[in-house]
Amino acid sequence: MKNADHKFGTKAIHGGLETDSATGAIMTPIYQTSTYVQEEVGKHKGFEYSRTQNPTRQALEQNLAAIENGKYGACFGSGLAAIDCVIKMLNPGDEVVSTNDLYGGTYRLFTTIFEKYGIKFHFVPMGDADEVAAHVNSNTKLIWVETPTNPMMNIIDIKAIAKVAKRNKAMLAVDNTFATPYLQNPLDLGADIVMHSVTKYLGGHSDVVMGALITKDDKIAEEIYRIQNSSGAVTAPQDSFLVLRGIKTLHVRVQRHCENGEVLAKWLTTHPAVDKVYWPGFETHPNHEVAKSQMRGFGGMISFTLKSGLLTDAQQLVASTELFTLAESLGGVESLIGHPATMTHASIPKEEREKSGVTDTLIRLSVGIEDVADLQTDLEQAFAKL
Ligand SMILES: *Cc1c(COP(=O)(O)O)cnc(C)c1O
Protein backbone atom coordinates (compact mmCIF):
# COMPACT_ATOMS: atom_id res chain seq x y z
CA MET A 1 0.00 0.00 0.00
CA LYS A 2 1.40 3.37 -0.99
CA ASN A 3 1.82 6.07 1.61
CA ALA A 4 -0.60 8.37 -0.20
CA ASP A 5 -3.40 5.81 0.17
CA HIS A 6 -3.16 5.71 3.94
CA LYS A 7 -5.69 7.44 6.16
CA PHE A 8 -4.63 10.36 8.32
CA GLY A 9 -3.79 8.56 11.57
CA THR A 10 -1.55 6.12 9.73
CA LYS A 11 0.20 8.91 7.87
CA ALA A 12 0.72 10.86 11.10
CA ILE A 13 2.57 7.91 12.61
CA HIS A 14 4.35 6.47 9.57
CA GLY A 15 4.13 8.98 6.71
CA GLY A 16 7.47 9.77 5.07
CA LEU A 17 9.39 7.92 7.77
CA GLU A 18 11.85 5.08 7.38
CA THR A 19 13.53 2.87 9.93
CA ASP A 20 17.01 4.20 10.72
CA SER A 21 19.28 2.33 8.34
CA ALA A 22 22.36 2.61 10.58
CA THR A 23 20.84 1.01 13.70
CA GLY A 24 17.26 -0.11 13.08
CA ALA A 25 16.04 2.36 15.73
CA ILE A 26 12.23 2.46 15.46
CA MET A 27 12.12 6.16 16.38
CA THR A 28 14.03 8.68 14.28
CA PRO A 29 17.31 9.32 16.12
CA ILE A 30 18.34 12.86 17.10
CA TYR A 31 21.28 13.48 14.77
CA GLN A 32 22.89 16.14 16.92
CA THR A 33 25.67 16.94 14.50
CA SER A 34 26.70 20.00 12.55
CA THR A 35 28.67 18.22 9.84
CA TYR A 36 29.22 14.81 8.16
CA VAL A 37 32.36 12.91 7.32
CA GLN A 38 33.03 12.68 3.58
CA GLU A 39 34.78 9.62 2.19
CA GLU A 40 36.53 11.71 -0.38
CA VAL A 41 35.97 15.13 -1.90
CA GLY A 42 32.34 15.32 -3.02
CA LYS A 43 31.52 11.75 -1.91
CA HIS A 44 29.04 11.69 0.97
CA LYS A 45 25.76 10.11 2.07
CA GLY A 46 23.57 13.06 1.05
CA PHE A 47 24.38 15.15 4.11
CA GLU A 48 27.11 17.80 4.11
CA TYR A 49 26.28 20.41 6.73
CA SER A 50 23.27 20.64 9.05
CA ARG A 51 22.06 24.05 7.91
CA THR A 52 21.56 22.46 4.49
CA GLN A 53 20.34 18.99 5.51
CA ASN A 54 19.98 17.08 8.77
CA PRO A 55 18.51 13.56 8.97
CA THR A 56 16.20 14.29 11.92
CA ARG A 57 14.92 17.49 10.35
CA GLN A 58 14.55 15.76 7.01
CA ALA A 59 12.45 12.97 8.55
CA LEU A 60 10.13 15.59 10.01
CA GLU A 61 9.97 17.48 6.72
CA GLN A 62 8.93 14.29 4.92
CA ASN A 63 6.38 13.46 7.62
CA LEU A 64 4.86 16.96 7.30
CA ALA A 65 4.71 16.61 3.52
CA ALA A 66 2.83 13.31 3.99
CA ILE A 67 0.19 14.67 6.37
CA GLU A 68 -0.44 17.78 4.23
CA ASN A 69 -0.71 15.72 1.02
CA GLY A 70 2.33 17.55 -0.32
CA LYS A 71 5.64 16.39 -1.77
CA TYR A 72 8.14 18.64 0.00
CA GLY A 73 8.43 20.01 3.52
CA ALA A 74 10.86 22.57 4.95
CA CYS A 75 11.22 23.37 8.63
CA PHE A 76 12.31 26.70 10.12
CA GLY A 77 13.26 28.11 13.51
CA SER A 78 9.76 29.59 13.97
CA GLY A 79 6.49 30.10 12.14
CA LEU A 80 7.54 33.63 11.30
CA ALA A 81 10.83 32.39 9.81
CA ALA A 82 8.74 30.16 7.53
CA ILE A 83 6.60 33.14 6.44
CA ASP A 84 9.79 35.19 6.00
CA CYS A 85 10.98 32.55 3.51
CA VAL A 86 7.79 32.84 1.44
CA ILE A 87 8.06 36.63 1.16
CA LYS A 88 11.74 36.31 0.22
CA MET A 89 10.59 34.54 -2.94
CA LEU A 90 9.26 37.94 -4.10
CA ASN A 91 11.05 40.94 -5.61
CA PRO A 92 10.82 44.71 -5.01
CA GLY A 93 7.72 46.04 -6.75
CA ASP A 94 5.76 42.82 -6.20
CA GLU A 95 2.44 43.03 -4.38
CA VAL A 96 0.78 40.75 -1.87
CA VAL A 97 -2.92 40.55 -1.11
CA SER A 98 -3.32 39.35 2.44
CA THR A 99 -6.11 38.46 4.84
CA ASN A 100 -6.80 41.55 6.97
CA ASP A 101 -7.66 39.60 10.13
CA LEU A 102 -4.17 38.29 10.54
CA TYR A 103 -1.87 36.85 13.19
CA GLY A 104 -0.25 39.95 14.74
CA GLY A 105 3.32 38.79 14.15
CA THR A 106 2.64 38.15 10.46
CA TYR A 107 1.25 41.68 10.12
CA ARG A 108 4.36 43.08 11.83
CA LEU A 109 6.67 41.06 9.58
CA PHE A 110 4.88 42.25 6.43
CA THR A 111 4.64 45.92 7.40
CA THR A 112 7.80 46.63 9.40
CA ILE A 113 10.29 44.34 7.64
CA PHE A 114 9.24 43.75 4.04
CA GLU A 115 7.52 47.00 3.12
CA LYS A 116 10.86 48.78 3.31
CA TYR A 117 12.26 46.37 0.73
CA GLY A 118 9.65 47.59 -1.74
CA ILE A 119 7.02 44.89 -1.38
CA LYS A 120 3.49 46.22 -1.15
CA PHE A 121 0.84 44.58 1.03
CA HIS A 122 -2.93 44.98 0.73
CA PHE A 123 -4.89 43.81 3.78
CA VAL A 124 -8.41 42.91 2.73
CA PRO A 125 -11.38 41.03 4.17
CA MET A 126 -11.53 37.70 2.32
CA GLY A 127 -15.08 36.55 3.08
CA ASP A 128 -15.88 37.28 -0.57
CA ALA A 129 -13.50 36.15 -3.35
CA ASP A 130 -14.64 39.00 -5.63
CA GLU A 131 -13.39 41.52 -3.11
CA VAL A 132 -10.01 39.76 -3.17
CA ALA A 133 -9.99 39.80 -6.97
CA ALA A 134 -10.59 43.57 -6.88
CA HIS A 135 -7.23 44.06 -5.15
CA VAL A 136 -5.26 41.83 -7.51
CA ASN A 137 -3.29 43.42 -10.36
CA SER A 138 -0.44 42.44 -12.66
CA ASN A 139 2.10 43.03 -9.84
CA THR A 140 0.33 40.63 -7.46
CA LYS A 141 2.62 37.66 -6.99
CA LEU A 142 1.19 36.21 -3.78
CA ILE A 143 -2.13 35.86 -2.01
CA TRP A 144 -1.73 35.19 1.69
CA VAL A 145 -4.61 33.48 3.46
CA GLU A 146 -5.09 32.60 7.10
CA THR A 147 -8.18 30.46 7.85
CA PRO A 148 -9.70 30.15 10.38
CA THR A 149 -8.44 33.62 11.20
CA ASN A 150 -6.92 34.62 14.48
CA PRO A 151 -8.69 35.61 16.67
CA MET A 152 -12.02 36.25 14.89
CA MET A 153 -12.47 32.71 13.53
CA ASN A 154 -13.46 34.01 10.11
CA ILE A 155 -13.47 31.32 7.45
CA ILE A 156 -12.03 31.96 4.01
CA ASP A 157 -13.02 29.87 1.01
CA ILE A 158 -9.65 28.46 -0.08
CA LYS A 159 -10.98 26.99 -3.35
CA ALA A 160 -12.54 30.30 -4.39
CA ILE A 161 -9.35 32.26 -3.60
CA ALA A 162 -7.26 29.63 -5.41
CA LYS A 163 -9.24 30.37 -8.57
CA VAL A 164 -8.46 34.09 -8.22
CA ALA A 165 -4.76 33.26 -7.74
CA LYS A 166 -4.61 30.88 -10.74
CA ARG A 167 -6.37 33.35 -13.01
CA ASN A 168 -3.74 35.99 -12.15
CA LYS A 169 -0.72 33.63 -12.04
CA ALA A 170 -0.12 34.52 -8.38
CA MET A 171 0.91 31.99 -5.75
CA LEU A 172 -1.53 31.14 -3.01
CA ALA A 173 -0.11 30.46 0.46
CA VAL A 174 -2.31 29.37 3.36
CA ASP A 175 -1.42 29.64 7.04
CA ASN A 176 -2.98 26.38 8.24
CA THR A 177 -1.88 26.73 11.87
CA PHE A 178 -5.36 26.94 13.40
CA ALA A 179 -6.95 24.14 11.40
CA THR A 180 -4.05 21.65 11.44
CA PRO A 181 -3.59 19.15 8.60
CA TYR A 182 -6.02 16.82 10.39
CA LEU A 183 -8.91 19.22 9.78
CA GLN A 184 -7.91 20.96 6.54
CA ASN A 185 -5.50 20.36 3.64
CA PRO A 186 -5.10 23.57 1.61
CA LEU A 187 -2.97 21.91 -1.12
CA ASP A 188 -5.97 19.71 -1.96
CA LEU A 189 -8.07 22.89 -2.29
CA GLY A 190 -5.69 24.56 -4.78
CA ALA A 191 -3.10 26.30 -2.57
CA ASP A 192 0.55 26.30 -3.70
CA ILE A 193 2.13 26.55 -0.25
CA VAL A 194 0.92 25.56 3.21
CA MET A 195 2.51 27.26 6.20
CA HIS A 196 2.38 26.12 9.81
CA SER A 197 3.42 27.57 13.09
CA VAL A 198 4.53 24.10 14.23
CA THR A 199 4.79 25.67 17.69
CA LYS A 200 1.04 25.21 18.06
CA TYR A 201 -0.96 22.02 17.37
CA LEU A 202 1.70 20.08 15.44
CA GLY A 203 4.19 20.26 18.30
CA GLY A 204 1.17 20.16 20.57
CA HIS A 205 2.96 20.20 23.92
CA SER A 206 4.07 23.84 24.24
CA ASP A 207 7.74 22.90 24.28
CA VAL A 208 9.00 23.89 20.82
CA VAL A 209 9.01 26.99 18.60
CA MET A 210 9.12 25.99 14.92
CA GLY A 211 7.65 26.74 11.50
CA ALA A 212 7.12 24.77 8.33
CA LEU A 213 6.28 25.14 4.66
CA ILE A 214 4.82 22.36 2.53
CA THR A 215 4.30 22.26 -1.23
CA LYS A 216 3.94 19.78 -4.06
CA ASP A 217 5.38 22.12 -6.69
CA ASP A 218 8.97 21.23 -7.72
CA LYS A 219 9.95 24.81 -8.62
CA ILE A 220 8.51 26.35 -5.47
CA ALA A 221 10.24 23.67 -3.39
CA GLU A 222 13.57 24.45 -5.04
CA GLU A 223 13.17 28.14 -4.14
CA ILE A 224 12.14 27.31 -0.57
CA TYR A 225 15.18 25.08 -0.02
CA ARG A 226 17.48 27.67 -1.60
CA ILE A 227 16.21 30.36 0.77
CA GLN A 228 16.12 28.00 3.76
CA ASN A 229 19.79 27.22 3.19
CA SER A 230 20.84 30.75 2.20
CA SER A 231 19.04 32.64 4.96
CA GLY A 232 19.71 29.85 7.43
CA ALA A 233 16.66 30.08 9.71
CA VAL A 234 16.58 26.30 10.18
CA THR A 235 15.27 24.29 13.11
CA ALA A 236 17.37 22.05 15.35
CA PRO A 237 17.52 18.22 15.45
CA GLN A 238 16.28 17.95 19.05
CA ASP A 239 13.25 20.12 18.26
CA SER A 240 12.60 18.11 15.10
CA PHE A 241 12.49 14.96 17.24
CA LEU A 242 10.01 16.51 19.68
CA VAL A 243 7.70 17.50 16.84
CA LEU A 244 7.94 14.05 15.20
CA ARG A 245 6.78 12.68 18.54
CA GLY A 246 4.02 15.29 18.80
CA ILE A 247 2.60 14.57 15.35
CA LYS A 248 2.15 10.86 16.19
CA THR A 249 -0.85 11.85 18.36
CA LEU A 250 -2.06 14.82 16.31
CA HIS A 251 -5.29 13.17 15.14
CA VAL A 252 -6.20 11.94 18.62
CA ARG A 253 -5.46 15.29 20.22
CA VAL A 254 -7.31 17.37 17.64
CA GLN A 255 -10.39 15.12 17.92
CA ARG A 256 -10.53 15.96 21.63
CA HIS A 257 -9.78 19.66 21.05
CA CYS A 258 -12.81 19.70 18.70
CA GLU A 259 -15.11 17.88 21.15
CA ASN A 260 -14.16 20.10 24.08
CA GLY A 261 -14.35 23.22 21.91
CA GLU A 262 -17.87 22.38 20.80
CA VAL A 263 -19.11 21.88 24.36
CA LEU A 264 -17.62 25.16 25.60
CA ALA A 265 -18.62 27.22 22.55
CA LYS A 266 -22.25 26.13 22.93
CA TRP A 267 -22.20 26.71 26.67
CA LEU A 268 -20.73 30.21 26.29
CA THR A 269 -23.68 31.27 24.09
CA THR A 270 -25.99 30.55 27.05
CA HIS A 271 -23.98 32.59 29.58
CA PRO A 272 -25.63 35.91 30.58
CA ALA A 273 -22.31 37.85 30.69
CA VAL A 274 -21.31 36.80 27.17
CA ASP A 275 -22.17 38.87 24.12
CA LYS A 276 -20.86 37.24 20.93
CA VAL A 277 -19.20 33.84 20.53
CA TYR A 278 -16.98 33.23 17.49
CA TRP A 279 -16.63 29.57 16.51
CA PRO A 280 -16.99 28.22 12.95
CA GLY A 281 -19.12 25.25 14.07
CA PHE A 282 -22.19 27.40 14.69
CA GLU A 283 -24.78 27.27 11.90
CA THR A 284 -25.14 31.03 12.40
CA HIS A 285 -21.42 31.60 11.63
CA PRO A 286 -21.36 33.67 8.40
CA ASN A 287 -19.16 31.13 6.59
CA HIS A 288 -20.32 27.95 8.29
CA GLU A 289 -21.08 26.25 4.96
CA VAL A 290 -17.56 26.92 3.67
CA ALA A 291 -16.13 25.67 6.97
CA LYS A 292 -18.17 22.48 6.64
CA SER A 293 -17.01 21.91 3.09
CA GLN A 294 -13.28 22.52 3.57
CA MET A 295 -12.73 21.37 7.17
CA ARG A 296 -13.32 18.02 8.85
CA GLY A 297 -14.08 19.58 12.24
CA PHE A 298 -14.22 23.03 13.79
CA GLY A 299 -11.30 23.00 16.20
CA GLY A 300 -10.79 24.11 19.75
CA MET A 301 -10.22 27.83 19.22
CA ILE A 302 -13.05 30.08 20.44
CA SER A 303 -13.31 33.84 20.89
CA PHE A 304 -16.04 35.72 22.71
CA THR A 305 -16.90 39.22 23.89
CA LEU A 306 -18.51 40.48 27.09
CA LYS A 307 -21.87 42.30 27.22
CA SER A 308 -20.48 44.88 29.65
CA GLY A 309 -18.02 46.15 27.05
CA LEU A 310 -15.58 46.93 29.85
CA LEU A 311 -11.85 46.35 29.36
CA THR A 312 -11.52 45.88 33.13
CA ASP A 313 -14.03 42.97 33.05
CA ALA A 314 -12.04 41.25 30.31
CA GLN A 315 -8.83 41.75 32.27
CA GLN A 316 -10.48 40.44 35.46
CA LEU A 317 -11.85 37.36 33.69
CA VAL A 318 -8.57 36.29 32.12
CA ALA A 319 -6.84 36.78 35.49
CA SER A 320 -9.42 34.67 37.36
CA THR A 321 -9.31 31.35 35.55
CA GLU A 322 -7.17 28.63 37.07
CA LEU A 323 -7.08 25.76 34.57
CA PHE A 324 -7.14 28.15 31.63
CA THR A 325 -3.79 29.81 32.12
CA LEU A 326 -3.11 33.30 30.87
CA ALA A 327 -0.55 33.02 28.09
CA GLU A 328 0.09 33.76 24.45
CA SER A 329 0.19 30.82 22.04
CA LEU A 330 -2.30 28.00 21.48
CA GLY A 331 -2.65 24.41 20.39
CA GLY A 332 -1.05 22.67 23.35
CA VAL A 333 -2.71 19.93 25.40
CA GLU A 334 -3.36 22.46 28.19
CA SER A 335 -6.03 25.14 27.96
CA LEU A 336 -4.97 28.76 27.55
CA ILE A 337 -6.83 32.04 27.79
CA GLY A 338 -5.73 35.28 26.16
CA HIS A 339 -6.72 38.88 25.60
CA PRO A 340 -5.80 39.67 21.97
CA ALA A 341 -6.11 43.48 22.23
CA THR A 342 -3.33 43.68 24.82
CA MET A 343 -1.43 40.48 24.02
CA THR A 344 -1.16 38.81 20.60
CA HIS A 345 -2.60 41.78 18.69
CA ALA A 346 -1.04 44.64 20.62
CA SER A 347 1.24 45.35 17.64
CA ILE A 348 -1.78 46.15 15.42
CA PRO A 349 -3.03 49.76 15.74
CA LYS A 350 -6.29 50.01 17.78
CA GLU A 351 -8.28 51.42 14.89
CA GLU A 352 -7.12 48.67 12.54
CA ARG A 353 -7.79 45.95 15.09
CA GLU A 354 -11.29 47.15 16.05
CA LYS A 355 -12.24 47.22 12.36
CA SER A 356 -11.73 43.47 12.27
CA GLY A 357 -13.56 42.88 15.56
CA VAL A 358 -10.70 42.72 18.06
CA THR A 359 -12.44 44.89 20.65
CA ASP A 360 -11.38 45.52 24.24
CA THR A 361 -13.51 42.67 25.69
CA LEU A 362 -12.59 40.05 23.11
CA ILE A 363 -11.24 36.97 24.88
CA ARG A 364 -9.67 34.01 23.12
CA LEU A 365 -9.64 30.44 24.36
CA SER A 366 -7.35 27.67 23.21
CA VAL A 367 -9.36 24.78 24.55
CA GLY A 368 -7.06 21.97 25.65
CA ILE A 369 -7.72 18.27 26.08
CA GLU A 370 -8.39 18.23 29.82
CA ASP A 371 -11.80 16.98 31.04
CA VAL A 372 -14.28 19.43 29.63
CA ALA A 373 -16.45 19.50 32.78
CA ASP A 374 -13.48 20.87 34.73
CA LEU A 375 -12.84 23.49 32.05
CA GLN A 376 -16.46 24.66 32.19
CA THR A 377 -16.39 24.83 36.00
CA ASP A 378 -13.23 26.90 35.79
CA LEU A 379 -14.84 29.43 33.44
CA GLU A 380 -18.00 29.51 35.60
CA GLN A 381 -16.05 30.46 38.73
CA ALA A 382 -14.14 33.15 36.80
CA PHE A 383 -17.38 34.69 35.45
CA ALA A 384 -18.80 34.62 38.99
CA LYS A 385 -16.03 36.98 40.09
CA LEU A 386 -17.04 39.76 37.65
C1 LIG B 1 1.86 31.59 16.22
C2 LIG B 1 1.40 31.85 14.85
C3 LIG B 1 2.28 32.27 13.86
C4 LIG B 1 3.76 32.54 14.13
O1 LIG B 1 4.42 31.37 14.51
P1 LIG B 1 5.70 31.36 15.50
O2 LIG B 1 6.01 29.92 15.59
O3 LIG B 1 5.22 31.96 16.79
O4 LIG B 1 6.75 32.18 14.87
C5 LIG B 1 1.79 32.47 12.58
N1 LIG B 1 0.49 32.27 12.31
C6 LIG B 1 -0.40 31.87 13.24
C7 LIG B 1 -1.82 31.67 12.85
C8 LIG B 1 0.02 31.65 14.54
O5 LIG B 1 -0.87 31.26 15.46
Side-chain angles (χ1 to χ4, degrees):
M1 199 180 200
K2 280 211 304 285
N3 228 335
D5 300 328
H6 287 146
K7 303 253 184 321
F8 191 90
T10 311
K11 283 198 273 197
I13 295 169
H14 300 288
L17 301 176
E18 283 161 25
T19 308
D20 181 52
S21 57
T23 63
I26 188 157
M27 288 300 134
T28 310
I30 302 169
Y31 281 94
Q32 193 73 46
T33 185
S34 61
T35 191
Y36 305 84
V37 178
Q38 306 197 3
E39 277 169 58
E40 54 187 76
V41 177
K43 194 167 172 211
H44 53 75
K45 298 183 161 66
F47 299 95
E48 295 150 278
Y49 184 62
S50 280
R51 172 166 27 75
T52 322
Q53 323 97 345
N54 173 277
T56 317
R57 189 181 93 212
Q58 195 175 72
L60 173 60
E61 290 173 340
Q62 288 167 0
N63 183 235
L64 284 167
I67 61 175
E68 273 294 13
N69 300 333
K71 229 165 112 185
Y72 307 96
C75 289
F76 297 83
S78 69
L80 288 179
I83 301 172
D84 179 89
C85 172
V86 176
I87 308 302
K88 282 177 177 163
M89 296 170 75
L90 308 180
N91 293 305
D94 287 351
E95 297 189 15
V96 179
V97 177
S98 163
T99 307
N100 64 334
D101 175 14
L102 196 62
Y103 176 74
T106 308
Y107 180 84
R108 184 178 55 202
L109 174 67
F110 288 173
T111 54
T112 73
I113 305 291
F114 283 110
E115 266 178 4
K116 70 179 179 198
Y117 292 108
I119 294 167
K120 192 166 169 198
F121 295 87
H122 304 268
F123 298 96
V124 302
M126 292 194 168
D128 175 5
D130 290 338
E131 191 163 348
V132 178
H135 287 86
V136 171
N137 62 46
S138 58
N139 293 327
T140 309
K141 294 289 151 45
L142 174 70
I143 300 181
W144 184 269
V145 166
E146 195 180 307
T147 183
T149 66
N150 176 25
M152 297 312 298
M153 312 302 150
N154 289 318
I155 298 293
I156 296 167
D157 186 338
I158 299 173
K159 257 190 197 163
I161 307 288
K163 277 192 201 134
V164 176
K166 291 263 149 20
R167 217 186 301 136
N168 294 280
K169 296 195 170 63
M171 284 191 300
L172 171 62
V174 177
D175 182 338
N176 204 29
T177 300
F178 267 42
T180 82
Y182 178 65
L183 298 181
Q184 174 172 282
N185 297 118
L187 297 180
D188 293 347
L189 301 165
D192 301 292
I193 301 174
V194 176
M195 174 265 157
H196 280 282
S197 171
V198 176
T199 314
K200 315 295 169 50
Y201 287 102
L202 293 176
H205 297 77
S206 306
D207 50 11
V208 171
V209 172
M210 190 191 291
L213 300 176
I214 300 110
T215 184
K216 43 188 180 186
D217 185 292
D218 300 346
K219 280 216 178 80
I220 291 175
E222 202 178 305
E223 260 310 88
I224 288 174
Y225 290 132
R226 189 181 69 77
I227 296 166
Q228 182 193 39
N229 184 41
S230 305
S231 284
V234 293
T235 193
Q238 171 99 22
D239 286 358
S240 302
F241 174 86
L242 284 171
V243 173
L244 276 166
R245 169 194 266 234
I247 289 174
K248 289 189 198 298
T249 56
L250 179 66
H251 49 302
V252 184
R253 285 186 284 112
V254 177
Q255 274 164 22
R256 182 61 66 85
H257 284 293
C258 289
E259 286 166 21
N260 287 358
E262 178 166 0
V263 170
L264 294 185
K266 288 183 174 163
W267 170 74
L268 280 167
T269 61
T270 67
H271 197 284
V274 172
D275 187 16
K276 296 197 181 75
V277 183
Y278 302 97
W279 182 68
F282 291 130
E283 274 172 30
T284 51
H285 184 286
N287 262 336
H288 177 67
E289 288 308 314
V290 177
K292 255 186 13 193
S293 72
Q294 71 186 16
M295 300 175 75
R296 292 179 281 270
F298 305 110
M301 296 302 299
I302 304 168
S303 293
F304 62 95
T305 57
L306 300 178
K307 277 200 184 122
S308 77
L310 295 172
L311 172 66
T312 47
D313 276 352
Q315 286 171 325
Q316 162 89 53
L317 189 81
V318 299
S320 304
T321 51
E322 286 161 14
L323 281 175
F324 278 93
T325 43
L326 179 61
E328 295 202 5
S329 198
L330 61 115
V333 291
E334 65 289 316
S335 293
L336 300 179
I337 192 164
H339 184 242
T342 56
M343 296 168 69
T344 46
H345 289 60
S347 56
I348 300 181
K350 185 176 161 86
E351 204 180 296
E352 197 76 19
R353 109 174 113 66
E354 295 211 327
K355 256 195 268 168
S356 55
V358 185
T359 59
D360 282 350
T361 67
L362 187 81
I363 290 164
R364 191 189 79 176
L365 301 178
S366 171
V367 180
I369 64 171
E370 300 95 334
D371 279 276
V372 71
D374 293 330
L375 296 177
Q376 186 176 318
T377 305
D378 185 35
L379 291 171
E380 269 164 9
Q381 66 80 26
F383 275 119
K385 288 186 179 145
L386 294 184

